[in-house]
Structures are given as structure tokens and as C-alpha cells.
């Protein structure tokens, strides 16, 4: 890839946006590459969870690449917005494996929207977050108007989106935008620790939990029905038998 670094280690797939001089801004080629690596990681059995972060210590991703905007027609901009929606919704939010955004600096505009599509967000102490699109005469175009209100409530989301102001990591934590604030040098280790904890649980149960939680926010799906179906389905799995017999036998389960 020209714009991403990636690795697989200890069942974790790492995706690192690698455009440090541009503050990891998401140009169209980066979107293509994100689509490719998430497709790959989502179907690779060696990967049980994913960490998404930005190269360097300054930015997670400072938005869509504004330099590409001037050449876009109305139709192309609409199409690009839809492409971002599809990639973030189907491949990141819709990943059957837990995806953690390790927000290591600026997460602005499309960069914050990418983090919002992840299942869990943790931020370094120096991180700054915002949806500054109105300052460009735009609105968020990669799902921000939909995901931010669900995460932090309509009123706070209105204020962030209408003012375009940035907030710091501590404020993001207070709003529930990030789950934890961590020292920069411990950020990835903490994301790894969270994933390794999840890896001790049943893989099939984790995937079904993600799908059921996602369904709660999807107007096309009946989340309650999906939860009931998934719950019933899990009763037929080997992991369920192992989990219950381990509990009753007072031992640690060995999920395959
Ligand atoms: N796009 C392109 N280049 C960028 C971007 C960006 N979003 N952000 C930073 N850069 C570049 C700068 O142009 C600069 O490049 P150069 O060295 O060649 O001049 C380099 O990164 C370093 O940036 P700064 O010199 O500005 O660094 P500062 O430390 O002074 O400031 C900021 C850091 C505050 C993060 C500042 O760079 C900034 O405000 N960036 C823009 C943030 C922004 O407005 N993001 C939202 C973009 S719009 C968007 O994301 C819409 C998403 C939906 C798209 C839908 C499809 C069309």
C-alpha cells in the first residue's frame, strides 16, 4: 500500500494510516486501501481483532484530503461520500471482529468519522477531535451526523457539528466519545490489552454481540429479533457448551 502500513501479530491486525506529512488525511487512494485491508483482515482467520491508528504522534487522521476537493464535481462528491459510508459501515462497523480506534492525535472531519465507525475508541492525552466541515461550507460526509448523536446525544453533537470546534481528549471522555484516555506511549499497548481480553472470550459470541449491537442503530433491521435469533443460534455452538461446562467445572474455558 502507498498510504497504509499494516501488520498481523498475536492475532491482532494493525492498520496504520501512513501519510504523516499530510496529518494522515484520507485521500481517495487511502480509502481504496482501507477497503482492501479491511476486506482482507475481516476474512483472515489469523486476525481476531483490529487496531486502527495513524502514523506518528500528531494525527490519527485530520479529515478527508481537502486538496482533492477542488477537482470534485457535485456528482463525484456525492459518490465519494457514499463510498466512504459503504466502507466505514460495511467493513469497519460491520466487521465481525472488534475494531479499536487508537486515536493518537488529531481526529477531524472524515478522520473522526472513521473513528466513530470503530467499535471502541481510546485516545491519547494529546488527541483533539472535531467535525470542522461547516468551516469549509460542508457538513460531515462519512456518517458523522448519524453516528455522533447516537454516541454523545443530539444536543452535544449539534454543538460540535454546528460550531466545528475541536475538543480535547478529556472532554471527549466526559462526553462518552472515547472510552479511555491514555498516555501517548501506552496507547497501542492498552488497545492490545483490550483486544487480548476479548480474545479470551468466545469468537462466535463476540461476532454475534457486535452484529446485535449494530442492529440496534440500523433502521432496516429489527435489533430485538436479531438478538433473539443470535442468542438461540449460540446455544447450538461448541463454544457455548465449553463456556458453560467450564463455569460449572470451575475452570477457564478453552474456546476454539
Ligand atoms: N487535507 C489535506 N491536507 C491536510 C489536511 C487535510 N484534511 N489537514 C492537514 N493537512 C496538511 C496541511 O495542508 C499541511 O500540508 P503542507 O505542509 O503541505 O502545507 C500539513 O498537513 C500539516 O498541516 P498544518 O500545517 O495545517 O498543521 P498545523 O499543526 O498548523 O494544524 C490542523 C493542524 C489544525 C489539524 C490543521 O492542519 C487543519 O485544520 N487541518 C484541516 C482539518 C479539517 O478541516 N478537516 C476536515 C476536512 S473535511 C472532511 O473531512 C469531510 C469528510 C467527508 C468527506 C466526504 C466525501 C467528499
Amino acid at each position: 500500500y502507498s498510504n497504509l502500513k499494516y501488520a498481523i501479530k498475536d492475532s491482532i491486525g494493525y492498520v496504520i494510516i501512513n501519510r504523516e506529512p499530510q496529518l494522515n488525511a484520507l485521500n481517495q487512494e487511502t480509502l481504496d486501501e482501507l477497503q482492501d485491508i479491511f476486506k482482507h483482515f475481516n476474512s483472515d482467520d489469523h486476525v481476531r481483532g483490529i487496531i486502527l491508528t495513524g502514523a506518528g504522534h500528531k494525527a490519527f487522521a485530520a479529515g478527508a484530503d481537502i486538496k482533492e476537493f477542488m477537482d470534485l464535481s457535485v456528482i463525484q462528491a456525492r459518490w465519494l461520500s457514499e463510498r466512504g459510508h459503504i466502507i466505514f459501515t460495511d467493513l469497519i462497523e460491520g466487521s465481525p471482529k472488534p475494531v479499536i480506534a487508537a486515536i493518537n492525535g488529531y481526529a477531524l472531519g472524515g478522520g473522526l468519522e472513521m473513528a466513530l465507525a470503530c467499535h471502541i475508541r481510546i485516545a491519547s492525552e494529546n488527541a483533539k477531535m472535531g467535525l470542522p466541515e461547516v468551516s469549509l461550507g460542508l457538513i460531515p460526509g462519512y456518517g458523522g451526523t448519524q453516528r455522533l448523536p447516537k454516541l454523545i446525544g443530539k444536543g452535544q453533537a449539534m454543538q460540535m457539528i454546528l460550531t466545528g470546534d475541536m475538543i480535547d481528549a478529556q472532554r471527549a471522555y466526559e462526553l462518552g466519545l472515547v472510552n479511555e484516555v491514555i498516555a501517548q506511549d501506552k496507547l497501542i499497548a492498552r488497545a492490545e490489552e483490550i483486544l487480548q481480553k476479548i480474545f479470551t472470550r468466545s469468537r462466535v459470541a463476540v461476532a454475534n454481540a457486535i452484529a446485535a449491537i449494530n442492529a440496534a442503530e440500523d433502521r432496516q433491521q429489527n435489533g430485538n429479533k436479531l438478538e433473539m435469533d443470535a442468542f438461540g443460534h449460540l446455544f447450538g455452538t461448541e463454544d457455548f457448551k465449553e463456556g458453560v461446562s467450564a463455569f460449572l467445572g470451575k475452570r477457564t474455558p478453552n474456546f476454539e
Side-chain angles (χ1 to χ4, degrees), residues 87 98 133 236:
I87 295 167
E133 284 92 339

Side-chain angles (χ1 to χ4, degrees), residues 99-126:
V99 182
I100 299 187
I103 302 175
N104 57 313
Y106 289 112
L108 301 174
L112 181 58
E113 294 177 277
M114 180 170 70
L116 290 170
C118 296
H119 302 132
I120 293 171
R121 280 154 296 285
I122 61 173
S124 58
E125 287 161 345
N126 66 317

Side-chain angles (χ1 to χ4, degrees), residues 164-207:
D165 283 347
M166 283 188 224
I167 56 171
D168 64 16
Q170 188 54 39
R171 181 68 183 143
Y173 173 72
E174 288 161 12
L175 291 174
L177 178 43
V178 299
N179 293 5
E180 297 179 18
V181 180
I182 312 286
Q184 170 84 255
D185 60 343
K186 298 195 170 63
L187 182 69
I188 299 300
R190 177 61 187 142
E192 289 165 344
E193 190 178 50
I194 295 169
L195 283 180
Q196 291 301 340
K197 179 64 176 281
I198 295 172
F199 297 167
T200 65
R201 311 309 190 190
S202 158
R203 187 193 291 231
V204 63
V206 165

Side-chain angles (χ1 to χ4, degrees), residues 7-40:
I8 302 174
K9 190 168 164 271
D10 298 333
S11 302
I12 298 175
Y14 296 81
V15 180
I16 302 152
I17 314 286
N18 192 30
R19 303 184 75 220
E20 218 179 319
Q22 295 82 23
L23 302 187
N24 301 321
L26 304 171
N27 61 358
Q28 296 187 47
E29 199 180 30
T30 308
L31 274 189
D32 292 340
E33 294 179 359
L34 278 169
Q35 179 175 32
D36 198 71
I37 192 69
F38 269 89
K39 268 189 184 163
H40 180 78

Side-chain angles (χ1 to χ4, degrees), residues 19-26 31 58-59 61-69 72 76-82 84-85 106 108-113 130-133 135-136 138-143 166:
R19 303 184 75 220
E20 218 179 319
Q22 295 82 23
L23 302 187
N24 301 321
L26 304 171
L31 274 189
K58 194 170 169 186
D65 192 320
I66 300 170
K67 290 186 180 120
E68 288 186 340
F69 280 6
L72 292 179
Q76 285 170 321
R78 168 65 176 76
W79 174 82
L80 184 57
S81 171
E82 185 168 339
H85 268 263
Y106 289 112
L108 301 174
L112 181 58
E113 294 177 277
L131 292 174
E133 284 92 339
S135 67
L136 299 167
L138 295 172
I139 63 169
Y142 287 153
M166 283 188 224

Side-chain angles (χ1 to χ4, degrees), residues 212-233:
I213 295 166
N214 282 343
E217 295 170 349
D218 185 343
R219 289 195 203 102
Q220 314 299 323
Q221 295 196 65
N222 180 335
N224 287 314
K225 181 175 179 309
L226 192 144
E227 184 188 276
M228 291 181 270
D229 291 345
F231 187 81
H233 163 76

